[in-house]
Amino acid sequence: MKKSFILLICCMITLGSINAQHPTRHFISLSRGSAYSNTVRVQPSLPVVCLGGISDNIGLGYQLHHNHFTFGVGVEYDNTIMANMSTEDITTVGFLHYNTIEKGMTELLHNMSFNFPVMLGGEFGKFYFKAGVAPSLSVYGNGAVIGPALNDNSEVWDYEDIHQYRYNRDFQLYARFELGGSFGEFTSFDELVQPKARFYLGAYVDYGVFEEGPKKSIGSYAHYVPYAISDEAFHDVTIPLNVGLRFTCLFNVSK
């Protein structure tokens, strides 16, 4: 027992000495990302295709680096615009009447949100990876059905004919993975003299943990709602998915 205890103490001292040789570095991070944004439809009940769109975001945060290990937290402002389109005529039931959604009916969705990523990862030479979660809180959203577009009988409605509604995604939790590398001249994190800034470019994927569905529309029961080009009688479930590139600049604030 004494020998085992002494051996354990020696191992702890050795590990502590090794870690002491690797200084902890602190950084302020500034990022800019752009992604293809779409939704994954779970058991769709409607003939609707997700055309997708684009998601742009800018972020500010903090990142720690110690012996290849990285930890980061931050906040991002995200602006997303995407579209859906019906591939067949859809008949919906309203209050005392039927409503037909024509083939090619197209809706645009616009959402602004704040994301709060918490990421763990590793950095080896010029290459890095990160994995974590990014809670997302929607602060503004709207949508509009612009008419039967993008088919043989394309028609964009006049402004007074466009159906508009409030769209609010509320809360979403993204599972995030990022993989990339630094560019420019590389300086080891163990060097005494550190560069003021490091630059990175990586590919990332955001996948929604929570399912999303139609929200109640403004106006009569038969008006259109997000994700479905339908009324409240339909409840198609979707999962958001973003795939894109992110540029990150790390500013060294270590003493």
Side-chain angles (χ1 to χ4, degrees), residues 12-203:
M12 294 178 64
I13 293 175
T14 301
L15 290 175
S17 300
I18 293 175
N19 282 329
Q21 297 174 9
H22 298 277
T24 300
R25 303 296 185 183
H26 305 273
F27 301 92
I28 296 297
S29 65
L30 181 63
S31 64
R32 176 72 169 83
S34 184
Y36 168 71
S37 182
N38 209 331
T39 54
V40 178
R41 301 179 71 82
V42 181
Q43 298 179 343
S45 60
L46 295 166
V48 175
V49 61
C50 301
L51 301 177
I54 189 169
S55 171
D56 286 313
N57 57 76
I58 183 170
L60 179 68
Y62 162 79
Q63 181 169 309
L64 175 148
H65 185 286
H66 180 80
N67 192 22
H68 302 294
F69 168 81
T70 64
F71 167 75
V73 294
V75 59
E76 298 170 351
Y77 167 74
D78 183 89
N79 186 57
T80 300
I81 298 177
M82 57 182 172
N84 300 320
M85 184 183 71
S86 59
T87 57
E88 299 177 13
D89 289 350
I90 304 172
T91 300
T92 65
V93 180
F95 183 69
L96 300 179
H97 73 280
Y98 292 92
N99 185 41
T100 299
I101 301 174
E102 301 178 43
K103 176 182 178 181
M105 194 70 77
T106 305
E107 70 176 354
L108 300 177
L109 301 178
H110 178 206
N111 186 72
M112 293 187 292
S113 61
F114 283 100
N115 304 330
F116 303 92
V118 179
M119 307 292 290
L120 298 174
E123 187 164 344
F124 302 90
K126 282 197 167 189
F127 299 96
Y128 76 91
F129 72 90
K130 298 178 182 179
V133 295
S136 178
L137 180 64
S138 177
V139 293
Y140 172 80
N142 65 8
V145 180
I146 63 174
L150 304 178
N151 65 3
D152 295 336
N153 300 313
S154 295
E155 175 188 0
V156 177
W157 288 346
D158 294 331
Y159 179 78
E160 57 269 18
D161 295 326
I162 293 177
H163 290 265
Q164 300 189 55
Y165 46 77
R166 184 177 293 109
Y167 161 54
N168 194 336
R169 192 188 61 199
D170 297 328
F171 178 79
Q172 178 59 262
L173 179 67
Y174 288 105
R176 174 175 293 183
F177 181 76
E178 185 173 337
L179 179 67
S182 64
F183 54 91
E185 184 178 353
F186 178 76
T187 302
S188 172
F189 288 92
D190 295 334
E191 294 291 335
L192 181 61
V193 179
Q194 291 287 306
K196 294 182 178 180
R198 295 174 181 266
F199 304 97
Y200 299 84
L201 183 64

